[in-house]
Every structure is written in C-alpha cells, then in structure tokens.
Amino acid sequence: MINSLLPEIHKHLESHYPKEACGLITEDLKWFPITNVSEYADQFEMDSTEFIKVAISNKIKAVVHSHIDTSPKPSKIDIKQCNGLNLDYYIINLPDKKLYHLKPNRK
C-alpha cells in the first residue's frame, strides 16, 4: 500500500536519525511528515497542532514512525496507540529500513 511513498518517508525518517520521527498517510495516499515533540530520542509524540491540521482536511489512513537501532516490531505502547486510534501503524527501523505493518485490534 505505501510502497510508492517509501522514498519520501525514508528521507524524512533518516533526516531525524538518531531520534524517532513520525508522520501520517492519508486515504488518498499522501504523506504528511509530523514533528516529533517527544523529549526522548527513542519515543515519538506527534505535534498535536500539526496532527489536527492534517486530520481536518484529510481522512487519515495510517501512522508511520521509526524505531532506532532496533527491530521494527511494535512495542506495547505502539499496539495500545494503534488500537486506540484505530489506525494502521507502519513502523520502519533505521538504519535497516525494515517495515512492520501493525493493524488495529492486534493482541
């Protein structure tokens, strides 16, 4: 689904390495980088103003974020947030660029 967006996504994620980076994919397959406002390098917290700005004018399909120097396997927090938002999560580890697709309601 997101293959055509991967070069643009990778560029954004890599530009923030070694800090996690994030963004949104809309239903019409557009990529929106979102600022990570977390004070911790190994966590992400989307800038709420940017998130709302995208959500007002687009239907959000998925959240994308990076995992740094570790597996793209979702953490318990990733699973909780994915289910809470009811949105697909795409996790890409850096620097390997392996992709993990997490769907809502995964146990």
Side-chain angles (χ1 to χ4, degrees), residues 32-105:
F32 291 87
I34 303 289
T35 303
N36 177 5
V37 296
S38 174
E39 61 187 88
Y40 304 103
D42 63 345
Q43 296 178 13
F44 82 98
E45 178 183 343
M46 290 191 179
D47 179 282
S48 59
T49 302
E50 293 177 26
F51 182 95
I52 291 167
K53 192 175 183 180
V54 173
I56 285 173
S57 56
N58 299 275
K59 182 148 174 67
I60 298 171
K61 172 71 176 159
V63 171
V64 177
H65 78 279
S66 56
H67 278 185
I68 305 301
D69 299 321
T70 188
S71 161
K73 184 178 176 185
S75 68
K76 289 179 183 178
I77 292 171
D78 291 331
I79 294 168
K80 182 179 178 181
Q81 290 176 338
C82 174
N83 288 332
L85 291 170
N86 198 34
L87 294 171
D88 286 11
Y89 261 48
Y90 290 94
I91 304 168
I92 300 171
N93 75 330
L94 294 176
D96 298 333
K97 298 181 187 173
K98 291 181 182 169
L99 174 69
Y100 190 101
H101 181 193
L102 176 64
K103 295 182 180 186
N105 301 315

